[in-house]
Amino acid sequence: LKLNSANLNSLENCTVPTYDRSSIKHGIVHVGVGGFHRAHLAVYVDSLLEQLKLKDWAICGVGMQSFDAEMRDALVPQDNLYTVIERSAPGSKARVIGSITDYIFAPDNSEAVIAKMAHPDTHIVSMTITESGYFYNENTHQLMTEHPDMAADLAGANPPRTFFGYVYAALARRYEAGLKPFTVLSCDNMQKNGHITRDMLLAFAQHRDPDVAAWLSQNGAFPNSMVDRITPRTVSEDVQSLRSEFGVEDAWPVVTEPFSQWVVEDKFCDGRPAFEKVGVQVVKDVKNVEEFELWKLRLLNASHTAMGYSGYLGGFQYIHETIGHPVFGKYIRNMMNEEVKPLLPPIPGVDVDEYIQTLIGRFSNPTLKDEITRICLGGSGKLPQFIMPSIAEQIVAGGPLRRLTLATAAWFRYLRGVDEQGRDFQLSFDPRNDELQQIARDEGNPMKLLSIKDLFGDDLRGDERFVKELTEAYNGLEREGAMKMIEKVA
Ligand code: NAD
């Protein structure tokens, strides 16, 4: 049966929303309606609407990239309904999510996006726009004002080209109208995602109008949050299995795991729904978010990154296969236990060994089919965040770092785009692929890559032990391949 409002009550094998979707105001505008948003925030909001029958908190989705036309074309004909398929060894569950009740494709309708954000009913603008959507220079911590899209928006481009361009335009209208700013809620995987959002948006506003910047700085809110739910890319088999197992015809379902976590700082300037009623950890102290964030980025994301590049070189297709391989499994476990765990702050009431065990269980989920090529996306945003900080801290502590270093070397080796049999392959997308691949190919030497200051800063290049280990790991990968090198350092 085709998924849409009219057929909702005839779907038998899955959970469906029973609330009246037509009468709920849009309290949230979400930019970047990809897999993750649809498996995470939109699910929490769906639970709120279902359980508390809230009338002010539906989501209006927004796509800003030209390729988001595909999401619009999938969602709109099904009245913005979609299915979340939760996969685990005991079996799959399907749940239709109703919290997104409208979708605006910004390239065709920029004014509608600005007007929706500026509308007094909108209390939160949330986003999952990937690291590159923030135009954040990791090294200088400044807004990348020189980027052509950012430069255009700073000069007042209409329609805007960036997330900040849109958000600023809407906030400036609210300022003029004497309204409160909305909360800008980042759900991207970045440490201090709220702080970065605030700093980049205020820098943007300062360029455009210092009065708006001052108003926003005084009245705005940018909660930090830690988000966690592994959400692979949807593939055509998922669409087919939903149809055959559950009888639902959905153009673009989402596949995810049973686990879900969201820790968010309780800092909202224009109200929020009672997220804590549906399993969200809403915390008063930003320190609590930061601790969870650190654990997650340094354990989960670092392990993913380490498995991604070396796993690709080693010929694996999925994460569960990689962690299930005795040598790779040992490598990842030891990396977490010996090189990362000792650096992490304790979190009262949470056992780090159990956390690591749970992670390994999640990575091992054979039904999730999380592709290595997805994990390899955007390495230039990942290595500096997930791997390098642990290396830098181990340098200072004089502790072990060879496994983390091998993960870095594997990324450098991967960037050449030539596999271990000498065949060219297409790198997973990264906004800096052209530049990085050229350096990786011309030099065949890890030091040139390590010299890119805005990625790696100065500290690591100056450390003799690290440089030696990195060079050896890189040369080892070249000579002996990933499997042998992982075995050596595991
Ligand atoms: P996706 O490819 O399904 O969706 C990405 C969305 O981001 C798209 O809607 C796209 O239009 C938007 N986007 C990308 N660049 C943008 C830009 N410059 N400006 C505005 N919008 C932009 O990916 P996803 O799986 O939904 O992941 C998105 C983000 O969610 C990740 O980058 C990460 O920060 C976070 N996240 C994902 C997972 C996961 O397991 N997939 C887990 C935790 C956090």
Side-chain angles (χ1 to χ4, degrees), residues 152-198:
D153 277 3
L154 289 171
N158 186 17
R161 299 190 191 172
T162 68
F163 171 78
F164 290 120
Y166 275 100
V167 167
Y168 174 81
L171 284 167
R173 273 190 207 179
R174 289 172 80 115
Y175 171 71
E176 290 299 330
L179 293 172
K180 282 184 186 173
F182 43 72
T183 298
V184 187
L185 175 61
S186 168
C187 298
D188 273 301
N189 247 341
M190 292 185 309
Q191 209 170 348
K192 301 191 182 355
N193 55 10
H195 287 147
I196 292 175
T197 303
R198 180 194 61 205

mmCIF file of all heavy atoms in Angstrom, residues 152-198:
data_model
loop_
_atom_site.group_PDB
_atom_site.id
_atom_site.type_symbol
_atom_site.label_atom_id
_atom_site.label_comp_id
_atom_site.label_asym_id
_atom_site.label_seq_id
_atom_site.Cartn_x
_atom_site.Cartn_y
_atom_site.Cartn_z
ATOM 1 N N ALA A 152 29.442 35.607 -0.783
ATOM 2 C CA ALA A 152 28.236 36.119 -1.447
ATOM 3 C C ALA A 152 27.172 36.453 -0.398
ATOM 4 O O ALA A 152 26.545 37.517 -0.449
ATOM 5 C CB ALA A 152 27.697 35.078 -2.430
ATOM 6 N N ASP A 153 26.985 35.565 0.581
ATOM 7 C CA ASP A 153 25.956 35.812 1.600
ATOM 8 C C ASP A 153 26.337 36.978 2.504
ATOM 9 O O ASP A 153 25.461 37.731 2.959
ATOM 10 C CB ASP A 153 25.708 34.544 2.428
ATOM 11 C CG ASP A 153 24.740 33.607 1.720
ATOM 12 O OD1 ASP A 153 24.334 33.928 0.585
ATOM 13 O OD2 ASP A 153 24.387 32.562 2.305
ATOM 14 N N LEU A 154 27.616 37.127 2.766
ATOM 15 C CA LEU A 154 28.034 38.267 3.597
ATOM 16 C C LEU A 154 27.768 39.576 2.866
ATOM 17 O O LEU A 154 27.533 40.612 3.485
ATOM 18 C CB LEU A 154 29.512 38.136 3.979
ATOM 19 C CG LEU A 154 29.811 37.029 4.993
ATOM 20 C CD1 LEU A 154 31.316 36.826 5.143
ATOM 21 C CD2 LEU A 154 29.183 37.349 6.346
ATOM 22 N N ALA A 155 27.796 39.500 1.524
ATOM 23 C CA ALA A 155 27.511 40.701 0.734
ATOM 24 C C ALA A 155 26.002 40.861 0.520
ATOM 25 O O ALA A 155 25.571 41.749 -0.217
ATOM 26 C CB ALA A 155 28.248 40.614 -0.600
ATOM 27 N N GLY A 156 25.192 39.971 1.117
ATOM 28 C CA GLY A 156 23.735 40.144 1.055
ATOM 29 C C GLY A 156 23.060 39.437 -0.109
ATOM 30 O O GLY A 156 22.007 39.888 -0.575
ATOM 31 N N ALA A 157 23.632 38.325 -0.591
ATOM 32 C CA ALA A 157 23.045 37.616 -1.739
ATOM 33 C C ALA A 157 21.576 37.281 -1.485
ATOM 34 O O ALA A 157 21.208 36.857 -0.399
ATOM 35 C CB ALA A 157 23.816 36.323 -2.005
ATOM 36 N N ASN A 158 20.758 37.463 -2.501
ATOM 37 C CA ASN A 158 19.349 37.122 -2.412
ATOM 38 C C ASN A 158 18.962 36.367 -3.684
ATOM 39 O O ASN A 158 19.028 36.941 -4.750
ATOM 40 C CB ASN A 158 18.513 38.389 -2.267
ATOM 41 C CG ASN A 158 17.053 38.058 -2.023
ATOM 42 O OD1 ASN A 158 16.729 36.937 -1.655
ATOM 43 N ND2 ASN A 158 16.175 39.022 -2.261
ATOM 44 N N PRO A 159 18.595 35.111 -3.620
ATOM 45 C CA PRO A 159 18.443 34.280 -2.424
ATOM 46 C C PRO A 159 19.795 33.924 -1.802
ATOM 47 O O PRO A 159 20.807 33.863 -2.491
ATOM 48 C CB PRO A 159 17.775 33.013 -2.961
ATOM 49 C CG PRO A 159 18.199 32.928 -4.384
ATOM 50 C CD PRO A 159 18.292 34.350 -4.864
ATOM 51 N N PRO A 160 19.769 33.646 -0.496
ATOM 52 C CA PRO A 160 21.016 33.269 0.168
ATOM 53 C C PRO A 160 21.529 31.920 -0.341
ATOM 54 O O PRO A 160 20.769 31.133 -0.898
ATOM 55 C CB PRO A 160 20.606 33.152 1.642
ATOM 56 C CG PRO A 160 19.274 33.782 1.767
ATOM 57 C CD PRO A 160 18.626 33.692 0.428
ATOM 58 N N ARG A 161 22.802 31.692 -0.126
ATOM 59 C CA ARG A 161 23.372 30.414 -0.571
ATOM 60 C C ARG A 161 23.686 29.472 0.576
ATOM 61 O O ARG A 161 23.898 28.301 0.377
ATOM 62 C CB ARG A 161 24.688 30.676 -1.310
ATOM 63 C CG ARG A 161 24.515 31.523 -2.546
ATOM 64 C CD ARG A 161 25.818 31.500 -3.307
ATOM 65 N NE ARG A 161 25.835 32.480 -4.358
ATOM 66 C CZ ARG A 161 26.907 32.766 -5.074
ATOM 67 N NH1 ARG A 161 28.061 32.143 -4.819
ATOM 68 N NH2 ARG A 161 26.858 33.659 -6.023
ATOM 69 N N THR A 162 23.800 30.001 1.776
ATOM 70 C CA THR A 162 24.220 29.158 2.902
ATOM 71 C C THR A 162 23.140 29.123 3.982
ATOM 72 O O THR A 162 22.249 29.988 4.020
ATOM 73 C CB THR A 162 25.508 29.710 3.556
ATOM 74 O OG1 THR A 162 25.187 30.951 4.186
ATOM 75 C CG2 THR A 162 26.618 29.925 2.527
ATOM 76 N N PHE A 163 23.278 28.161 4.872
ATOM 77 C CA PHE A 163 22.378 28.055 6.025
ATOM 78 C C PHE A 163 22.380 29.367 6.801
ATOM 79 O O PHE A 163 21.326 29.901 7.160
ATOM 80 C CB PHE A 163 22.843 26.892 6.919
ATOM 81 C CG PHE A 163 22.140 26.829 8.233
ATOM 82 C CD1 PHE A 163 20.853 26.321 8.330
ATOM 83 C CD2 PHE A 163 22.759 27.287 9.397
ATOM 84 C CE1 PHE A 163 20.189 26.268 9.553
ATOM 85 C CE2 PHE A 163 22.106 27.239 10.615
ATOM 86 C CZ PHE A 163 20.818 26.730 10.696
ATOM 87 N N PHE A 164 23.579 29.918 7.052
ATOM 88 C CA PHE A 164 23.650 31.147 7.853
ATOM 89 C C PHE A 164 22.999 32.323 7.126
ATOM 90 O O PHE A 164 22.411 33.197 7.756
ATOM 91 C CB PHE A 164 25.102 31.463 8.230
ATOM 92 C CG PHE A 164 25.653 30.487 9.230
ATOM 93 C CD1 PHE A 164 26.765 29.705 8.931
ATOM 94 C CD2 PHE A 164 25.046 30.310 10.464
ATOM 95 C CE1 PHE A 164 27.255 28.777 9.854
ATOM 96 C CE2 PHE A 164 25.527 29.390 11.395
ATOM 97 C CZ PHE A 164 26.627 28.625 11.090
ATOM 98 N N GLY A 165 23.103 32.326 5.797
ATOM 99 C CA GLY A 165 22.459 33.380 5.020
ATOM 100 C C GLY A 165 20.949 33.369 5.251
ATOM 101 O O GLY A 165 20.326 34.415 5.482
ATOM 102 N N TYR A 166 20.355 32.177 5.217
ATOM 103 C CA TYR A 166 18.902 32.056 5.434
ATOM 104 C C TYR A 166 18.526 32.435 6.869
ATOM 105 O O TYR A 166 17.585 33.183 7.106
ATOM 106 C CB TYR A 166 18.442 30.622 5.162
ATOM 107 C CG TYR A 166 18.142 30.364 3.706
ATOM 108 C CD1 TYR A 166 19.069 29.730 2.884
ATOM 109 C CD2 TYR A 166 16.936 30.756 3.154
ATOM 110 C CE1 TYR A 166 18.798 29.493 1.545
ATOM 111 C CE2 TYR A 166 16.651 30.523 1.809
ATOM 112 C CZ TYR A 166 17.590 29.897 1.017
ATOM 113 O OH TYR A 166 17.301 29.686 -0.303
ATOM 114 N N VAL A 167 19.270 31.861 7.805
ATOM 115 C CA VAL A 167 18.914 32.073 9.210
ATOM 116 C C VAL A 167 19.053 33.553 9.564
ATOM 117 O O VAL A 167 18.203 34.128 10.243
ATOM 118 C CB VAL A 167 19.788 31.174 10.113
ATOM 119 C CG1 VAL A 167 19.685 31.590 11.562
ATOM 120 C CG2 VAL A 167 19.347 29.721 9.965
ATOM 121 N N TYR A 168 20.109 34.161 9.045
ATOM 122 C CA TYR A 168 20.290 35.592 9.327
ATOM 123 C C TYR A 168 19.119 36.401 8.756
ATOM 124 O O TYR A 168 18.564 37.284 9.435
ATOM 125 C CB TYR A 168 21.625 36.110 8.754
ATOM 126 C CG TYR A 168 21.716 37.602 8.915
ATOM 127 C CD1 TYR A 168 22.099 38.167 10.133
ATOM 128 C CD2 TYR A 168 21.318 38.457 7.883
ATOM 129 C CE1 TYR A 168 22.095 39.539 10.316
ATOM 130 C CE2 TYR A 168 21.310 39.831 8.056
ATOM 131 C CZ TYR A 168 21.706 40.364 9.274
ATOM 132 O OH TYR A 168 21.685 41.721 9.454
ATOM 133 N N ALA A 169 18.744 36.099 7.512
ATOM 134 C CA ALA A 169 17.662 36.868 6.877
ATOM 135 C C ALA A 169 16.387 36.770 7.725
ATOM 136 O O ALA A 169 15.685 37.765 7.940
ATOM 137 C CB ALA A 169 17.407 36.345 5.465
ATOM 138 N N ALA A 170 16.111 35.554 8.249
ATOM 139 C CA ALA A 170 14.893 35.373 9.057
ATOM 140 C C ALA A 170 15.028 36.085 10.399
ATOM 141 O O ALA A 170 14.080 36.724 10.871
ATOM 142 C CB ALA A 170 14.646 33.878 9.276
ATOM 143 N N LEU A 171 16.212 35.998 10.996
ATOM 144 C CA LEU A 171 16.399 36.656 12.297
ATOM 145 C C LEU A 171 16.304 38.176 12.154
ATOM 146 O O LEU A 171 15.737 38.854 13.018
ATOM 147 C CB LEU A 171 17.754 36.254 12.891
ATOM 148 C CG LEU A 171 17.802 34.833 13.483
ATOM 149 C CD1 LEU A 171 19.244 34.415 13.760
ATOM 150 C CD2 LEU A 171 16.969 34.749 14.775
ATOM 151 N N ALA A 172 16.849 38.699 11.074
ATOM 152 C CA ALA A 172 16.792 40.154 10.879
ATOM 153 C C ALA A 172 15.333 40.598 10.778
ATOM 154 O O ALA A 172 14.951 41.649 11.311
ATOM 155 C CB ALA A 172 17.581 40.546 9.625
ATOM 156 N N ARG A 173 14.498 39.767 10.126
ATOM 157 C CA ARG A 173 13.066 40.108 10.065
ATOM 158 C C ARG A 173 12.428 40.080 11.449
ATOM 159 O O ARG A 173 11.589 40.912 11.768
ATOM 160 C CB ARG A 173 12.326 39.094 9.189
ATOM 161 C CG ARG A 173 12.363 39.494 7.765
ATOM 162 C CD ARG A 173 11.444 38.633 6.953
ATOM 163 N NE ARG A 173 11.990 38.613 5.605
ATOM 164 C CZ ARG A 173 11.479 37.948 4.603
ATOM 165 N NH1 ARG A 173 10.387 37.232 4.793
ATOM 166 N NH2 ARG A 173 12.030 37.992 3.424
ATOM 167 N N ARG A 174 12.803 39.100 12.232
ATOM 168 C CA ARG A 174 12.221 39.025 13.579
ATOM 169 C C ARG A 174 12.665 40.225 14.417
ATOM 170 O O ARG A 174 11.892 40.771 15.210
ATOM 171 C CB ARG A 174 12.603 37.699 14.258
ATOM 172 C CG ARG A 174 11.882 36.502 13.630
ATOM 173 C CD ARG A 174 12.382 35.175 14.148
ATOM 174 N NE ARG A 174 11.849 34.801 15.432
ATOM 175 C CZ ARG A 174 11.045 33.736 15.652
ATOM 176 N NH1 ARG A 174 10.670 32.955 14.655
ATOM 177 N NH2 ARG A 174 10.625 33.450 16.857
ATOM 178 N N TYR A 175 13.896 40.611 14.229
ATOM 179 C CA TYR A 175 14.420 41.793 14.940
ATOM 180 C C TYR A 175 13.600 43.027 14.562
ATOM 181 O O TYR A 175 13.120 43.765 15.426
ATOM 182 C CB TYR A 175 15.897 41.967 14.572
ATOM 183 C CG TYR A 175 16.520 43.253 15.048
ATOM 184 C CD1 TYR A 175 16.785 43.465 16.405
ATOM 185 C CD2 TYR A 175 16.855 44.268 14.142
ATOM 186 C CE1 TYR A 175 17.348 44.649 16.849
ATOM 187 C CE2 TYR A 175 17.434 45.456 14.573
ATOM 188 C CZ TYR A 175 17.674 45.640 15.932
ATOM 189 O OH TYR A 175 18.241 46.810 16.357
ATOM 190 N N GLU A 176 13.401 43.206 13.261
ATOM 191 C CA GLU A 176 12.622 44.358 12.777
ATOM 192 C C GLU A 176 11.194 44.319 13.328
ATOM 193 O O GLU A 176 10.610 45.360 13.625
ATOM 194 C CB GLU A 176 12.546 44.354 11.236
ATOM 195 C CG GLU A 176 13.866 44.672 10.541
ATOM 196 C CD GLU A 176 14.399 46.054 10.879
ATOM 197 O OE1 GLU A 176 13.564 46.947 11.149
ATOM 198 O OE2 GLU A 176 15.640 46.235 10.906
ATOM 199 N N ALA A 177 10.638 43.116 13.431
ATOM 200 C CA ALA A 177 9.238 42.965 13.843
ATOM 201 C C ALA A 177 9.080 42.993 15.368
ATOM 202 O O ALA A 177 7.970 42.845 15.879
ATOM 203 C CB ALA A 177 8.678 41.658 13.291
ATOM 204 N N GLY A 178 10.189 43.111 16.085
ATOM 205 C CA GLY A 178 10.121 43.135 17.539
ATOM 206 C C GLY A 178 9.823 41.777 18.163
ATOM 207 O O GLY A 178 9.302 41.686 19.271
ATOM 208 N N LEU A 179 10.142 40.694 17.435
ATOM 209 C CA LEU A 179 9.919 39.339 17.980
ATOM 210 C C LEU A 179 11.186 38.849 18.686
ATOM 211 O O LEU A 179 12.253 39.445 18.567
ATOM 212 C CB LEU A 179 9.609 38.364 16.831
ATOM 213 C CG LEU A 179 8.308 38.555 16.081
ATOM 214 C CD1 LEU A 179 8.286 37.630 14.859
ATOM 215 C CD2 LEU A 179 7.136 38.234 16.990
ATOM 216 N N LYS A 180 11.045 37.702 19.372
ATOM 217 C CA LYS A 180 12.222 37.052 19.955
ATOM 218 C C LYS A 180 12.966 36.299 18.854
ATOM 219 O O LYS A 180 12.326 35.822 17.909
ATOM 220 C CB LYS A 180 11.759 35.979 20.948
ATOM 221 C CG LYS A 180 11.319 36.470 22.272
ATOM 222 C CD LYS A 180 10.994 35.245 23.119
ATOM 223 C CE LYS A 180 10.406 35.664 24.442
ATOM 224 N NZ LYS A 180 9.928 34.551 25.210
ATOM 225 N N PRO A 181 14.253 36.087 19.023
ATOM 226 C CA PRO A 181 14.911 35.165 18.087
ATOM 227 C C PRO A 181 14.436 33.733 18.367
ATOM 228 O O PRO A 181 13.981 33.443 19.472
ATOM 229 C CB PRO A 181 16.402 35.288 18.408
ATOM 230 C CG PRO A 181 16.515 36.079 19.654
ATOM 231 C CD PRO A 181 15.169 36.649 20.005
ATOM 232 N N PHE A 182 14.523 32.855 17.373
ATOM 233 C CA PHE A 182 14.296 31.434 17.628
ATOM 234 C C PHE A 182 15.597 30.817 18.137
ATOM 235 O O PHE A 182 16.678 31.388 17.945
ATOM 236 C CB PHE A 182 13.812 30.717 16.357
ATOM 237 C CG PHE A 182 14.540 31.096 15.095
ATOM 238 C CD1 PHE A 182 15.850 30.672 14.857
ATOM 239 C CD2 PHE A 182 13.922 31.905 14.134
ATOM 240 C CE1 PHE A 182 16.518 31.023 13.696
ATOM 241 C CE2 PHE A 182 14.596 32.276 12.968
ATOM 242 C CZ PHE A 182 15.904 31.832 12.754
ATOM 243 N N THR A 183 15.463 29.665 18.773
ATOM 244 C CA THR A 183 16.643 28.916 19.184
ATOM 245 C C THR A 183 17.250 28.260 17.943
ATOM 246 O O THR A 183 16.512 27.731 17.111
ATOM 247 C CB THR A 183 16.224 27.816 20.180
ATOM 248 O OG1 THR A 183 15.678 28.454 21.320
ATOM 249 C CG2 THR A 183 17.405 26.942 20.584
ATOM 250 N N VAL A 184 18.568 28.310 17.816
ATOM 251 C CA VAL A 184 19.225 27.615 16.707
ATOM 252 C C VAL A 184 19.882 26.361 17.283
ATOM 253 O O VAL A 184 20.799 26.445 18.102
ATOM 254 C CB VAL A 184 20.273 28.512 16.001
ATOM 255 C CG1 VAL A 184 20.792 27.813 14.753
ATOM 256 C CG2 VAL A 184 19.673 29.865 15.645
ATOM 257 N N LEU A 185 19.337 25.216 16.890
ATOM 258 C CA LEU A 185 19.675 23.953 17.539
ATOM 259 C C LEU A 185 20.433 23.031 16.582
ATOM 260 O O LEU A 185 19.841 22.439 15.676
ATOM 261 C CB LEU A 185 18.368 23.283 17.996
ATOM 262 C CG LEU A 185 18.447 21.886 18.593
ATOM 263 C CD1 LEU A 185 19.291 21.870 19.859
ATOM 264 C CD2 LEU A 185 17.044 21.379 18.897
ATOM 265 N N SER A 186 21.729 22.922 16.782
ATOM 266 C CA SER A 186 22.523 22.046 15.914
ATOM 267 C C SER A 186 22.400 20.599 16.372
ATOM 268 O O SER A 186 22.554 20.297 17.556
ATOM 269 C CB SER A 186 23.993 22.465 15.962
ATOM 270 O OG SER A 186 24.783 21.460 15.344
ATOM 271 N N CYS A 187 22.129 19.710 15.429
ATOM 272 C CA CYS A 187 22.124 18.265 15.722
ATOM 273 C C CYS A 187 23.230 17.595 14.919
ATOM 274 O O CYS A 187 23.129 16.422 14.574
ATOM 275 C CB CYS A 187 20.771 17.657 15.398
ATOM 276 S SG CYS A 187 19.430 18.339 16.390
ATOM 277 N N ASP A 188 24.251 18.352 14.570
ATOM 278 C CA ASP A 188 25.376 17.759 13.853
ATOM 279 C C ASP A 188 26.402 17.246 14.843
ATOM 280 O O ASP A 188 26.512 17.722 15.969
ATOM 281 C CB ASP A 188 26.013 18.794 12.902
ATOM 282 C CG ASP A 188 25.324 18.801 11.556
ATOM 283 O OD1 ASP A 188 25.306 17.731 10.914
ATOM 284 O OD2 ASP A 188 24.801 19.854 11.156
ATOM 285 N N ASN A 189 27.153 16.289 14.337
ATOM 286 C CA ASN A 189 28.186 15.618 15.094
ATOM 287 C C ASN A 189 29.423 16.467 15.233
ATOM 288 O O ASN A 189 30.393 16.248 14.530
ATOM 289 C CB ASN A 189 28.639 14.457 14.202
ATOM 290 C CG ASN A 189 28.294 13.152 14.785
ATOM 291 O OD1 ASN A 189 28.035 13.046 15.972
ATOM 292 N ND2 ASN A 189 28.327 12.143 13.944
ATOM 293 N N MET A 190 29.369 17.471 16.051
ATOM 294 C CA MET A 190 30.577 18.275 16.214
ATOM 295 C C MET A 190 30.698 18.584 17.682
ATOM 296 O O MET A 190 29.684 18.866 18.341
ATOM 297 C CB MET A 190 30.460 19.601 15.472
ATOM 298 C CG MET A 190 30.433 19.477 13.985
ATOM 299 S SD MET A 190 30.444 21.106 13.240
ATOM 300 C CE MET A 190 29.125 21.886 14.119
ATOM 301 N N GLN A 191 31.920 18.572 18.168
ATOM 302 C CA GLN A 191 32.105 18.928 19.551
ATOM 303 C C GLN A 191 31.735 20.397 19.709
ATOM 304 O O GLN A 191 32.089 21.209 18.849
ATOM 305 C CB GLN A 191 33.562 18.700 19.930
ATOM 306 C CG GLN A 191 33.683 18.364 21.375
ATOM 307 C CD GLN A 191 35.079 17.889 21.710
ATOM 308 O OE1 GLN A 191 35.883 17.604 20.830
ATOM 309 N NE2 GLN A 191 35.377 17.822 22.978
ATOM 310 N N LYS A 192 31.029 20.718 20.760
ATOM 311 C CA LYS A 192 30.585 22.094 21.004
ATOM 312 C C LYS A 192 29.779 22.635 19.815
ATOM 313 O O LYS A 192 29.984 23.755 19.352
ATOM 314 C CB LYS A 192 31.779 23.005 21.295
ATOM 315 C CG LYS A 192 32.612 22.588 22.514
ATOM 316 C CD LYS A 192 33.591 23.692 22.852
ATOM 317 C CE LYS A 192 34.528 23.467 23.992
ATOM 318 N NZ LYS A 192 34.526 22.382 24.846
ATOM 319 N N ASN A 193 28.856 21.823 19.326
ATOM 320 C CA ASN A 193 28.115 22.239 18.124
ATOM 321 C C ASN A 193 27.325 23.537 18.369
ATOM 322 O O ASN A 193 27.198 24.359 17.465
ATOM 323 C CB ASN A 193 27.234 21.099 17.578
ATOM 324 C CG ASN A 193 26.269 20.518 18.592
ATOM 325 O OD1 ASN A 193 26.098 21.063 19.676
ATOM 326 N ND2 ASN A 193 25.624 19.416 18.245
ATOM 327 N N GLY A 194 26.849 23.737 19.597
ATOM 328 C CA GLY A 194 26.117 24.969 19.899
ATOM 329 C C GLY A 194 27.033 26.186 19.905
ATOM 330 O O GLY A 194 26.690 27.240 19.366
ATOM 331 N N HIS A 195 28.204 26.018 20.497
ATOM 332 C CA HIS A 195 29.148 27.140 20.536
ATOM 333 C C HIS A 195 29.595 27.532 19.133
ATOM 334 O O HIS A 195 29.679 28.712 18.805
ATOM 335 C CB HIS A 195 30.395 26.771 21.365
ATOM 336 C CG HIS A 195 30.113 26.725 22.829
ATOM 337 N ND1 HIS A 195 30.740 25.855 23.694
ATOM 338 C CD2 HIS A 195 29.254 27.441 23.582
ATOM 339 C CE1 HIS A 195 30.273 26.040 24.917
ATOM 340 N NE2 HIS A 195 29.377 26.994 24.876
ATOM 341 N N ILE A 196 29.857 26.527 18.320
ATOM 342 C CA ILE A 196 30.306 26.829 16.959
ATOM 343 C C ILE A 196 29.195 27.539 16.194
ATOM 344 O O ILE A 196 29.425 28.537 15.505
ATOM 345 C CB ILE A 196 30.758 25.535 16.238
ATOM 346 C CG1 ILE A 196 32.035 25.014 16.909
ATOM 347 C CG2 ILE A 196 30.995 25.775 14.747
ATOM 348 C CD1 ILE A 196 32.532 23.688 16.375
ATOM 349 N N THR A 197 27.967 27.043 16.365
ATOM 350 C CA THR A 197 26.830 27.682 15.697
ATOM 351 C C THR A 197 26.725 29.150 16.127
ATOM 352 O O THR A 197 26.594 30.054 15.299
ATOM 353 C CB THR A 197 25.519 26.949 16.071
ATOM 354 O OG1 THR A 197 25.660 25.579 15.714
ATOM 355 C CG2 THR A 197 24.327 27.540 15.365
ATOM 356 N N ARG A 198 26.798 29.369 17.429
ATOM 357 C CA ARG A 198 26.690 30.747 17.931
ATOM 358 C C ARG A 198 27.816 31.618 17.358
ATOM 359 O O ARG A 198 27.573 32.701 16.825
ATOM 360 C CB ARG A 198 26.776 30.752 19.463
ATOM 361 C CG ARG A 198 26.660 32.140 20.070
ATOM 362 C CD ARG A 198 27.081 32.177 21.526
ATOM 363 N NE ARG A 198 28.475 31.772 21.657
ATOM 364 C CZ ARG A 198 29.025 31.244 22.737
ATOM 365 N NH1 ARG A 198 28.292 31.040 23.808
ATOM 366 N NH2 ARG A 198 30.294 30.899 22.761
#
